[in-house]
Amino acid sequence: MNNNVRISKDNDVAVITIDNPPVNALSPGVPEGISAAIDEMNSDPSIKAAVVIGAGRTFVAGADIKEFIKMTSSGARRATLLPLLLHIEDSGKPVIMAIHGNAFGGGLELAMAGHYRVAASTAQVGQPEVNLGIIPGAGGTQRLPRLIGVAKAVQMCAEGKPISAREAAALGLIDRLIDGDLLEGAVAFAREVAGKPAPKTRERNEKLGTAAENAPIFAAARDTARKKQRGLKAPLVAIDAVEAGIGLPFDQGCQAEAKLFTECLFSDQSKALIHVFFGEREVAKIPDVPKETPVIPVNRAAVVGSGTMGGGIAMVFANAGIPVVLKDVDEAALDLGMGKIRKNYASSVQRGRFTQEFVDERLRLITPVLTYDEFSRVDMVVEAVFEGMALKKTVFAGLDRACRRGAILASNTSTLNIDEIASATSRPEAVIGTHFFSPANVMRLLEIVRGKKSSKEVVATCMQLSKKLGKIGVLVGNCRGFVGNRMFGPYRREAQFLVEEGAEVAAVDQALVEFGNAMGPLATGDLAGLDVGWRIRKEYRHLEKPGIRQPFAEDRLCEMGRYGQKTVRGWYLYDENRRASTDPEVSALVRKWSADAGIAQRQISAAEIVDRCIYALVNEGARILEEGYALRAVDIDIIYLNGYGFPAYRGGPMWYADTVGLQSVYRRICEFHQQHGELWAPAPLLQQLAETGKTFAEFDKEHVAAA
Ligand code: 3H9
């Protein structure tokens, strides 16, 4: 028998076990193994039925995604799963799929080819392919509507979100939920159905509905996909695939699906999203901090500062079930902070994200305090006070006195030097940056800033903790702005320059929204508060090289008290619902300021806007990479996708540059260098990669191999 699939007997029931760790993906050899096992049980007269089950933590997490990379990079087509699935469905004896963990993608397609499905109630099933820029490619868009009806099938294939086994059972996708031992329950079920006619999913047409009934379902699904998954092609293609199958015989539906699947697989969007899938897992790997590094158990936490960030961070700990003390300097500040937390939770209940019971439990985990008394009992503190070095140092000196040895002392600073903060303590090895993004309880990104002396245990703990907190932790070095904000500076600088050179405010934002960004750079400034950057610029002005062009428009807007949304005026005007409208006064002012500064006005295309802003990210990203402040180009991509609204289907700024071609990117940056001067000096690493015909992805591979 195949190494990854084995067959055993439980008296008259065959047990076919898929054992391809870690997630039983359908890698080459596994489908063949299942097929051979089906043949073996069919040819054994003592066997009446078969149970297919996964070894280890899950049923089957889908096709092997690594194989897709091999296919698209070599252009080679590989065998599809369809013949195996027909083979199972045509088996003379019933095949029962026993699901625990996940049946995702090809895993669910495999399960649907069985005659029955039983599941542990903790299991999840789904067709998440759209998250990889593809669609189900082994009959998922054809079998799923036959089991659960068109509306729900379209939703699952287009949105890619899994459902619980309980919901699947209610929909008719799972035939029985099994409490207790899954295999035992599945074998008992197999005996109940053995000898009875086995239903083939592909022949169950009764839930398919008519064209007239389905038309509004497809129209509504397309509408939702265009709004909620803006720019992503796969959801629309998934809907097309389901629609194509209705009214066609099953095998022709599968052929239509296979064609659409292949088109998606070879698209740039799919390549980018697969890069993101592996990238999100890659960032957890730190070359000099091996998996075995001991971690510090974080069972109790503390947050200093109950402002917007501090309150959000306290919620993050509470949401993960970790009790947290939240400290502020006086009762009024603390009441305000706790009030905001309650309001946030109430709105989550209103939106159906959390139940009231869950929220009550979480609130019980947050203890507001005014002193450091409780701090001797916590394993980790996150400081989230006002962004100023002197204050941070005072807080850290206090933490040094209050916390037990071995506790992690983290700062949520977004710009300040972690080593300097650490110098205020007697234990710099315990100090690290944990840069949450606002709103902290929502945004997935956590930049973990490694100080010169941060210990490996502290790094490993924060990386592991990020997953428990529902975040994606990316390790970055201690430079000004770290990775995300350091790149964001040049990006927003270019947005301002473009306006100063003649582009309309809305045109700059629109070009980047059409590129796929969640928001334009100027609207983002208004949301965050233009005064934040203004204050930082004032603090660092003495570091600017003289004679180098600096944007001025935002500083002038701030001087006029136009801080953005909070003052209902910034780049835009805001109504009471925070809806933005363009402000002719801003256009006129910028034109005047630009004329005074002697900046020539011209028509600027959307393509130039995108190149200027996005290549500013890429150029700075290349410098960061070269200087070692990010471990890999993919780390930068993951930061941008999870913290800055960069479109996942473009893979992140560095992947996007690879897709465009580094030679073209480099040439364009050289043009900007000539036109706009020193700020556009190309990063040496970019130049080197472009000149040697390499990509950032190749740089990553060589770099990891060398580490
Ligand atoms: C598909 O099925 C298309 C079909 O229609 C068929 C068409 C013909 N392949 O996430 P984790 C690796 S498309 C290869 O950390 P967790 C992962 O890289 C597929 N590798 O664990 C990691 O490796 P490493 C549709 C895979 O417990 C390790 O397994 N299916 C695959 O947090 C552990 O993963 C999906 O999109 C795979 N399919 O989460 C599901 N899956 O340790 C994708 C995982 O070296 N997978 N790996 O870094 C998931 O969503 C999560 O992995 C899962 C487990 C929820 C299963």
Side-chain angles (χ1 to χ4, degrees):
M1 187 94 299
N2 178 295
N3 279 343
N4 304 120
V5 182
R6 47 178 193 270
I7 184 166
S8 59
K9 278 197 209 179
D10 184 330
N11 297 315
D12 51 353
V13 175
V15 177
I16 300 172
T17 306
I18 304 170
D19 189 2
N20 184 27
V23 293
N24 295 329
L26 298 167
S27 316
V30 175
E32 294 80 353
I34 300 171
S35 185
I38 296 288
D39 287 339
E40 192 177 326
M41 75 99 177
N42 272 320
S43 60
D44 182 341
S46 70
I47 295 290
K48 291 195 188 122
V51 168
V52 177
I53 194 164
R57 57 171 149 154
T58 193
F59 181 67
V60 171
D64 186 337
I65 304 167
K66 287 203 176 88
E67 290 299 309
F68 293 150
I69 300 178
K70 289 187 202 154
M71 276 169 82
T72 50
S73 51
S74 69
R77 308 277 151 118
R78 283 172 203 242
T80 81
L81 288 174
L82 288 168
L84 165 70
L85 303 190
L86 287 178
H87 189 56
I88 295 171
E89 216 168 28
D90 287 338
S91 151
K93 299 170 189 171
V95 178
I96 292 84
M97 300 288 177
I99 301 168
H100 73 297
N102 312 112
F104 283 173
L108 180 55
E109 290 170 310
L110 170 70
M112 291 190 291
H115 304 101
Y116 302 96
R117 286 148 295 282
V118 299
S121 49
T122 50
Q124 289 200 313
V125 301
Q127 299 284 176
E129 286 88 341
V130 288
N131 300 321
L132 301 170
I134 53 177
I135 65 163
T141 63
Q142 309 300 304
R143 282 194 178 86
L144 196 55
R146 285 172 163 84
L147 287 174
I148 63 172
V150 173
K152 191 68 194 174
V154 162
Q155 188 192 358
M156 282 180 70
C157 293
E159 293 180 8
K161 291 193 191 115
I163 59 170
S164 68
R166 276 187 202 290
E167 186 178 355
L171 290 166
L173 179 51
I174 300 291
D175 298 293
R176 182 178 293 171
L177 292 174
I178 307 244
D179 294 320
D181 189 84
L182 177 65
L183 181 57
E184 223 171 81
V187 168
F189 184 93
R191 291 203 176 103
E192 284 172 39
V193 296
K196 296 185 185 150
K200 293 181 186 177
T201 306
R202 70 175 194 267
E203 290 171 0
R204 293 169 63 174
N205 294 337
E206 64 280 3
K207 287 191 179 171
L208 288 184
T210 64
E213 282 162 356
N214 291 329
I217 296 173
F218 293 125
R222 288 191 174 100
D223 232 34
T224 308
R226 284 194 190 100
K227 277 192 209 122
K228 295 208 171 150
Q229 294 151 291
R230 187 171 60 87
L232 200 57
K233 293 184 187 140
L236 294 168
V237 181
I239 300 166
D240 290 348
V242 178
E243 189 172 30
I246 311 282
L248 280 179
F250 177 81
D251 52 344
Q252 286 178 35
C254 286
Q255 280 167 25
E257 179 199 74
K259 188 167 171 287
L260 294 170
F261 168 83
T262 307
E263 281 168 22
C264 286
L265 182 62
F266 283 81
S267 69
D268 281 346
Q269 288 203 351
S270 169
K271 288 176 196 163
L273 287 162
I274 288 177
H275 159 75
V276 173
F277 176 83
F278 286 112
E280 287 194 347
R281 283 145 185 92
E282 186 73 13
V283 294
K285 295 169 190 158
I286 316 296
D288 72 326
V289 183
K291 262 205 317 254
E292 310 72 48
T293 308
V295 293
I296 301 156
V298 177
N299 296 319
R300 291 181 69 80
V303 175
V304 186
S306 69
T308 310
M309 281 314 285
I313 297 167
M315 289 171 75
V316 171
F317 279 108
N319 290 348
I322 300 173
V324 56
V325 287
L326 177 61
K327 181 190 176 304
D328 216 317
V329 284
D330 57 42
E331 206 75 63
L334 211 47
D335 283 352
L336 203 68
M338 285 304 292
K340 266 196 211 146
I341 291 176
R342 281 196 199 93
K343 207 169 137 204
N344 265 333
Y345 273 132
S347 102
S348 299
V349 173
Q350 228 169 22
R351 282 181 287 114
R353 189 168 164 236
F354 293 147
T355 62
Q356 188 60 48
E357 198 188 351
F358 177 90
V359 162
D360 292 342
E361 255 174 46
R362 304 302 119 172
L363 277 168
R364 270 196 293 276
L365 291 175
I366 305 177
T367 312
V369 297
L370 290 173
T371 66
Y372 283 123
D373 294 350
E374 289 287 314
F375 278 53
S376 59
R377 295 175 54 216
V378 304
D379 307 305
M380 176 171 183
V381 184
V382 181
E383 162 279 310
V385 301
F386 191 74
E387 195 76 345
M389 184 54 86
L391 177 61
K392 301 252 180 204
K393 279 177 138 175
T394 310
V395 170
F396 271 76
L399 293 177
D400 196 29
R401 287 188 296 273
C403 296
R404 63 168 183 78
R405 288 273 147 190
I408 297 173
L409 310 183
S411 172
N412 180 50
T413 179
S414 54
T415 44
L416 299 175
N417 186 326
I418 285 294
D419 293 331
E420 196 178 336
I421 295 175
S423 72
T425 73
S426 62
R427 42 175 137 169
E429 70 285 354
V431 178
I432 195 161
T434 48
H435 178 206
F436 288 83
F437 286 69
S438 185
N441 53 315
V442 177
M443 297 293 284
R444 249 185 113 208
L445 178 62
L446 180 61
E447 272 187 333
I448 296 172
V449 190
R450 185 177 194 167
K452 226 184 243 140
K453 295 193 178 151
S454 311
S455 75
K456 290 188 181 181
E457 286 76 8
V458 167
V459 171
T461 304
C462 290
M463 291 301 294
Q464 208 184 72
L465 182 69
S466 61
K467 198 166 178 186
K468 186 163 179 203
L469 297 181
K471 304 287 168 201
I472 178 138
V474 184
L475 191 68
V476 298
N478 179 27
C479 57
R480 181 139 66 90
F482 312 128
V483 170
N485 284 347
R486 176 168 156 187
M487 289 165 65
F488 209 51
Y491 169 77
R492 294 204 67 257
R493 173 198 78 207
E494 287 306 309
Q496 289 188 67
F497 279 167
L498 287 157
V499 175
E500 291 169 11
E501 290 164 29
E504 285 300 332
V505 172
V508 171
D509 278 345
Q510 199 187 334
L512 286 146
V513 168
E514 272 167 23
F515 174 80
N517 283 1
M519 245 183 150
L522 302 171
T524 307
D526 273 1
L527 176 67
L530 300 180
D531 55 322
V532 179
W534 183 43
R535 290 217 174 89
I536 295 171
R537 280 193 297 280
K538 281 199 281 194
E539 196 169 326
Y540 287 110
R541 195 132 285 162
H542 63 286
L543 297 177
E544 282 168 12
K545 280 198 220 156
I548 290 191
R549 179 181 171 192
Q550 296 295 338
F552 52 75
E554 253 175 31
D555 289 356
R556 301 265 171 93
L557 291 173
C558 286
E559 282 157 19
M560 299 169 69
R562 298 186 70 124
Y563 293 170
Q565 289 196 12
K566 60 178 138 182
T567 56
V568 302
R569 280 183 161 73
W571 284 107
Y572 297 90
L573 286 176
Y574 294 88
D575 67 13
E576 60 280 5
N577 297 318
R578 302 215 158 176
R579 260 193 311 257
S581 55
T582 50
D583 186 351
E585 193 192 338
V586 170
S587 293
L589 280 169
V590 178
R591 294 300 145 253
K592 182 181 174 309
W593 295 333
S594 299
D596 293 346
I599 298 173
Q601 300 294 289
R602 62 196 173 88
Q603 288 283 331
I604 301 177
S605 68
E608 178 178 343
I609 293 171
V610 169
D611 285 357
R612 289 268 296 272
C613 293
I614 302 295
Y615 292 169
L617 285 179
V618 174
N619 205 30
E620 195 63 28
R623 281 185 204 288
I624 287 172
L625 200 54
E626 188 168 21
E627 291 165 15
Y629 291 111
L631 280 170
R632 293 153 289 232
V634 67
D635 292 38
I636 298 177
D637 287 336
I638 299 305
I639 286 174
Y640 260 75
L641 301 179
N642 291 286
Y644 294 85
F646 199 93
Y649 61 79
R650 294 199 191 269
M654 311 312 272
W655 180 265
Y656 171 71
D658 277 355
T659 311
V660 172
L662 292 192
Q663 282 159 349
S664 311
V665 174
Y666 173 64
R667 265 198 307 274
R668 193 85 171 112
I669 287 179
C670 289
E671 280 168 31
F672 293 151
H673 188 199
Q674 266 192 336
Q675 291 159 8
H676 304 287
E678 199 42 37
L679 288 168
W680 274 102
L685 176 65
L686 176 64
Q687 177 176 3
Q688 181 202 323
L689 293 175
E691 284 174 357
T692 51
K694 292 206 168 137
T695 60
F696 286 120
E698 283 165 340
F699 171 85
D700 277 1
K701 267 195 211 134
E702 285 168 18
H703 209 61
V704 169

